[in-house]
Amino acid sequence: MARVPALAVAAVRRVRQSPGALVGQYRARRSHPTVQLVHQPHPWTRALGLVAVVLLGAWLGLLIVGNVRAPVGPMNTTMTLRPSLDGGTKINVSPLGALELRSHVAPVRLDVNVDQLDPVRAQALVDHPERISGLQDEIASDVRHGTADLALRSCVAVVSGATALGLAVYRRPRRALAAGGLALALLTGSGGTAFATWNPNSVLEPKFSGLLSSAPSLVGNARSIVTEFDVYQKELARLVTNVTKLYDVTSTLPAYTPDPSTIRVLHVSDIHLNPASWKIIASLVEQYDINVIVDSGDTMDHGSTAENGFLDPIANLGAPYVWVRGNHDSTATQRYLEGMKNVHVLDGGRAVSVAGLRFAGMGDPQFTPDRSAKPGGARSEELAGARLASALRDQERAGTPVDVAIAHNPDAARQTDGEVPLVLGGHLHHQEMEVMKYGTRLRLEGSTGGSGLRAVEGDHPDPIEASVLYLDRDTRRLQAWDEIRLGGLGLTTAEVSRHLPKENQPGATPSPTPSPSLSSTRSPGSSASPSGSPSPTGR
C-alpha cells in the first residue's frame, strides 16, 4: 500500500475535528498575532522607501512643470528650481556662458536661463533712454514676481509629483497622501534654509564661466598641440578678450565699479617658459586697461642664458613691468631684464615708484631649477623676508612708504606683515588671499604659465591664472580684485570671479591701517604667522 503524504494526513485529521475545535484554533491564532505567515519589511526599510519615492516624485514634478517663464527687464527668462547639494543661483546666458552666485545654502538651486532679448522692450529702452535710470528697480520687481510664481508652482509640482508616484507605487491613498505631505515638509524646510542663509551680497562676488564653442575644431587635439601651438595660444588669447568683454557687461550688477582713476595692477607669476603667456598678458593689459604688471618670479624654468630670448616680448606688453627673481630665475636672467626698457627689477629691498604706486621687492635667495630641496632653504627665505621688512621700515622713516611689497616665496613674504598694506608672491601655483596677523594682506598668484611646458607631465594640465588688482589712487589701498582662471594646455575654458575685501562690503567699517607701533614690536626675523613647516620646494 502506498504511503499517504503528510499533507493529506493533516487534512484528513482537520476534517475529523469538531466544529468547536476549529473555532477554538481560529480564536487562538487571532489572540497570538506573533504568528505571521507573510514576512513584513523592517520599519526603517519602509521609511527609506517612502523617502526615495518622495524625492523621486518631487524631482519628476519639478522636471515636468516646475519652471516659470518670466520677463526680466528687456529679456525673456525661464526660472527653475533644481535639487542641488550646494544651492546657489546659476544664470545661464547661452551660448556665452554662465554666471554663478553663492546666494544661499540649501538643497535646491535656482536656475535662470536667459532665453532671448525681447526686441519690443529693448527698442523701448532705446527710444526712451530716461527709462534706463529706473531699469534696476524694474528688474528687481520682475525677479520678485517671477520667484514668487516659481515658489507657488514648485510647491504644486513637488506635492503632486510625490503624491502621484506614491499612489502608483503603494496603491493606497493613505500612503500617497503621506508622500505628498512629506514632500511639502521637505520643500518648506529647504525654503526656510534658503531664506535663513540668503546672502544678498553674493552679487558682489560673481563667478563667470565661458566656453569657446569653436575651440576644439580650431585648436585640435592634444596630439597636434605641439605642431599647432601658435594656433592654440592665439585662440586662448582671443578667448580672454571675449570673456573680459562679456564680463564688462555682467559687471552692471550692483558690484564694485572701478573709478577711471583707479590703479589697475595685473599680477602674474610662475610663467615657467610658457610662450602662450605673453599673448594672454597682452590681451589682459588691453581689456582691463592695466597700469602696471607685477611678476612675482619663476618666469624662466632653468635660468640658462639660452632662455633669455624668451623674455623679449615683455617690451611690447603695453604696460610697465615690475619683476622679482624666483627660484627658477638665475642672476643671468636678472641682468638680462635689467637691460630692458620699461622693466623694473627689484632686489635687496630696492624700491621704485611706478604708475602712482611705490613697490619694493626681494629676489629669491635660492636657485633650484632642478626642483631640489636644499637644507636650510626655509630659513634662507625667512632671512630674505626679514631684509625686505627692514628695507620697508627704512622707506617709512625716509617718508617714502611702500604700497606693495613683492617676494616670490610665501615664507619670505610673510616676514613683511605689519610693514606694508599689500605683499604679492607666488611659488605655490595656486591663488590665495589672506590677511595676516598684523594687518598686511598677502596675495599669492597661481601659475600664469599653467606651470609651463611641464604641464604635459601630469594627467591634467594646470590652469593658467592671473589677477587684476584695483587700488585707490588716493589711499593706494586694495578695493577689489578679479581672479582670472583659464584652461591649461589644450583647454579653452575661462572663469572670471570678482572679490571685495571685507572692509569694502556694504555696511562694513573700514579697517584701520596697520600702525607703526604694531610693527615695531616684532623682531626683524620673526614671522607674523607661525609657519612651523619647511619652505615649499620643487616649484
Side-chain angles (χ1 to χ4, degrees):
M1 180 178 178
R3 182 173 295 178
V4 180
L7 185 60
V9 172
V12 171
R13 289 178 179 176
R14 181 171 296 179
V15 171
R16 290 180 178 178
Q17 290 179 347
S18 63
L22 293 175
V23 172
Q25 291 180 6
Y26 174 76
R27 290 178 177 175
R29 290 181 179 178
R30 290 293 301 272
S31 63
H32 294 80
T34 56
V35 180
Q36 298 180 358
L37 298 179
V38 180
H39 175 70
Q40 296 293 331
H42 194 278
W44 284 107
T45 304
R46 293 199 301 269
L48 291 176
L50 180 61
V51 171
V53 168
V54 168
L55 294 178
L56 181 59
W59 179 75
L60 291 175
L62 287 176
L63 193 63
I64 297 173
V65 295
N67 59 73
V68 170
R69 295 185 179 275
V72 177
M75 300 174 294
N76 293 324
T77 68
T78 301
M79 300 182 180
T80 311
L81 284 182
R82 288 286 181 259
S84 172
L85 296 177
D86 301 326
T89 300
K90 185 175 183 180
I91 304 173
N92 298 299
V93 189
S94 179
L96 300 177
L99 188 69
E100 297 182 19
L101 307 175
R102 296 179 180 178
S103 56
H104 62 277
V105 179
V108 288
R109 185 186 72 200
L110 174 62
D111 284 357
V112 181
N113 294 318
V114 179
D115 300 326
Q116 62 181 2
L117 184 69
D118 186 275
V120 176
R121 297 198 299 272
Q123 185 63 39
L125 287 176
V126 175
D127 296 338
H128 303 280
E130 67 277 3
R131 293 180 55 185
I132 296 179
S133 60
L135 184 60
Q136 182 174 349
D137 294 334
E138 179 183 345
I139 290 177
S141 177
D142 291 342
V143 171
R144 283 195 297 269
H145 285 90
T147 52
D149 190 9
L150 176 63
L152 180 60
R153 186 183 291 264
S154 298
C155 285
V156 174
V158 165
V159 174
S160 300
T163 303
L165 187 60
L167 186 62
V169 172
Y170 297 111
R171 300 183 183 276
R172 295 179 183 177
R174 182 177 297 179
R175 298 298 297 274
L177 291 176
L182 180 58
L184 181 60
L186 291 176
L187 183 61
T188 303
S190 300
T193 304
F195 180 79
T197 59
W198 177 252
N199 179 23
N201 293 332
S202 61
V203 295
L204 300 177
E205 297 190 3
K207 179 179 179 181
F208 174 79
S209 59
L211 176 65
L212 189 64
S213 58
S214 59
S217 60
L218 291 176
V219 177
N221 54 32
R223 187 175 182 178
S224 63
I225 199 68
V226 176
T227 58
E228 299 182 8
F229 192 84
D230 185 60
V231 177
Y232 161 70
Q233 61 181 4
K234 288 180 180 178
E235 287 305 315
L236 199 55
R238 185 161 66 92
L239 174 65
V240 177
T241 301
N242 294 339
V243 168
T244 51
K245 284 182 179 178
L246 181 59
Y247 187 68
D248 285 341
V249 177
T250 60
S251 293
T252 56
L253 292 168
Y256 167 75
T257 303
D259 186 85
S261 63
T262 299
I263 303 175
R264 304 175 186 225
V265 179
L266 176 62
H267 184 198
V268 301
S269 187
D270 295 86
I271 293 174
H272 284 291
L273 217 65
N274 187 346
S277 300
W278 300 128
K279 291 184 179 297
I280 295 171
I281 292 173
S283 180
L284 290 172
V285 168
E286 179 182 358
Q287 294 302 314
Y288 282 86
D289 196 18
I290 296 298
N291 301 109
V292 56
I293 305 168
V294 173
D295 186 343
S296 50
D298 273 5
T299 312
M300 313 297 265
D301 207 38
H302 299 91
S304 64
T305 55
E307 298 173 84
N308 286 343
F310 168 76
L311 301 170
D312 292 343
I314 293 178
N316 300 315
L317 291 179
Y321 203 87
V322 179
W323 183 86
V324 297
R325 187 179 68 249
N327 61 293
H328 283 255
D329 303 318
S330 65
T331 54
T333 298
Q334 180 164 316
R335 287 193 298 270
Y336 188 83
L337 281 170
E338 287 172 343
M340 295 181 65
K341 294 182 179 179
N342 214 28
V343 176
H344 305 272
V345 176
L346 302 182
D347 195 10
R350 174 175 176 257
V352 63
S353 294
V354 182
L357 294 173
R358 191 156 181 81
F359 298 90
M362 176 68 68
D364 199 302
Q366 300 188 86
F367 180 54
T368 54
D370 56 352
R371 294 178 262 176
S372 62
K374 292 184 176 180
R379 183 58 181 164
S380 67
E381 297 290 350
E382 292 171 357
L383 290 174
R387 289 177 56 200
L388 177 57
S390 177
L392 295 175
R393 288 191 290 271
D394 292 341
Q395 291 286 330
E396 179 75 28
R397 285 191 290 267
T400 55
V402 171
D403 305 309
V404 182
I406 313 167
H408 176 69
N409 193 298
D411 285 346
R414 289 184 180 280
Q415 306 307 310
T416 65
D417 188 14
E419 311 294 351
V420 67
L422 177 65
V423 58
L424 305 180
H427 186 63
L428 299 184
H429 293 192
H430 64 264
Q431 295 175 326
E432 291 184 15
M433 181 72 86
E434 172 191 353
V435 178
M436 295 185 289
K437 182 179 179 180
Y438 294 102
T440 295
R441 184 179 294 274
L442 171 63
R443 173 64 185 177
L444 299 182
E445 191 52 74
S447 174
T448 310
S451 297
L453 297 180
R454 73 174 70 173
V456 298
E457 297 176 357
D459 295 333
H460 303 285
D462 292 336
I464 295 173
E465 295 177 316
S467 299
V468 178
L469 312 177
Y470 301 92
L471 288 87
D472 185 88
R473 187 171 293 274
D474 296 327
T475 64
R476 295 181 293 280
R477 294 297 184 265
L478 184 67
Q479 303 297 307
W481 72 95
D482 288 344
E483 293 183 353
I484 301 165
R485 182 184 177 97
L486 307 176
L489 188 63
L491 302 178
T492 49
T493 58
E495 294 179 356
V496 182
S497 55
R498 172 158 295 179
H499 304 272
L500 300 180
K502 287 186 178 180
E503 59 269 22
N504 282 7
Q505 297 285 350
T509 56
S511 59
T513 303
S515 62
S517 60
L518 284 177
S519 61
S520 62
T521 61
R522 298 175 53 238
S523 61
S526 64
S527 175
S529 61
S531 58
S533 57
S535 170
T537 56
R539 294 290 188 180

